[in-house]
Amino acid sequence: MVKGTPTTLKAKTLEMTVHLHKYVHGRSFKKRAPHAIKAIRQLVTKTLKTQDVRLDTKVNQYVWSHGIRNVPVRIRVRCERKPTEDEDNEGFFTLVKLVPVESFANLQSKKIE
């Protein structure tokens, strides 16, 4: 059995900082914000091992707050892995929410119980 398959996963909450600048560095101006959204999805998929990643509207608004070209350097997000509500689908999905912070100094990724 492959490590991290849906049968071994449990509900989990993780709070982390995503450094968006390294994902959009060198990207053409008109593709920066869409690529930042895709980078958040890819990072959450890799970290929490779920294919279904749902972004809260506030995350989208924060990334797009300065336009398509000027993406914020960092974003603090809370990722909640939950079981799906469908009876026929037994997998998990991840909900990504924005965590407003004053400063990103000395912040670490942490589990939320």
Side-chain angles (χ1 to χ4, degrees):
M1 190 163 234
V2 178
K3 183 177 180 181
T5 55
T7 58
T8 61
L9 295 178
K10 297 177 183 171
K12 180 179 179 181
T13 302
L14 183 69
E15 191 172 296
M16 62 185 179
T17 301
V18 180
H19 191 177
L20 293 176
H21 179 72
K22 67 181 180 180
Y23 294 110
V24 299
H25 178 72
R27 184 66 52 178
S28 64
F29 283 144
K30 295 298 181 179
K31 296 180 181 177
R32 281 179 172 234
H35 190 74
I37 296 292
K38 290 174 189 167
I40 293 171
R41 285 185 189 275
Q42 289 175 352
L43 183 66
V44 171
T45 299
K46 180 180 172 185
T47 305
L48 293 177
K49 297 176 177 60
T50 57
Q51 294 298 320
D52 187 7
V53 177
R54 302 173 189 177
L55 296 178
D56 189 33
T57 56
K58 294 190 182 198
V59 174
N60 195 35
Q61 288 174 353
Y62 183 77
V63 170
W64 284 83
S65 62
H66 299 295
I68 196 168
R69 294 173 53 163
N70 302 316
V71 176
V73 176
R74 288 180 178 85
I75 184 173
R76 185 80 174 172
V77 292
R78 178 174 289 134
C79 307
E80 300 175 5
R81 182 171 59 201
K82 301 177 179 181
T84 56
E85 294 88 14
D86 298 337
E87 294 85 24
D88 48 332
N89 191 357
E90 299 174 356
F92 285 84
F93 73 95
T94 303
L95 180 63
V96 181
K97 296 181 180 179
L98 179 68
V99 178
V101 292
E102 293 293 323
S103 172
F104 290 99
N106 300 324
L107 287 177
Q108 302 289 323
S109 295
K110 61 181 178 180
K111 278 187 189 178
I112 307 294
E113 297 299 327

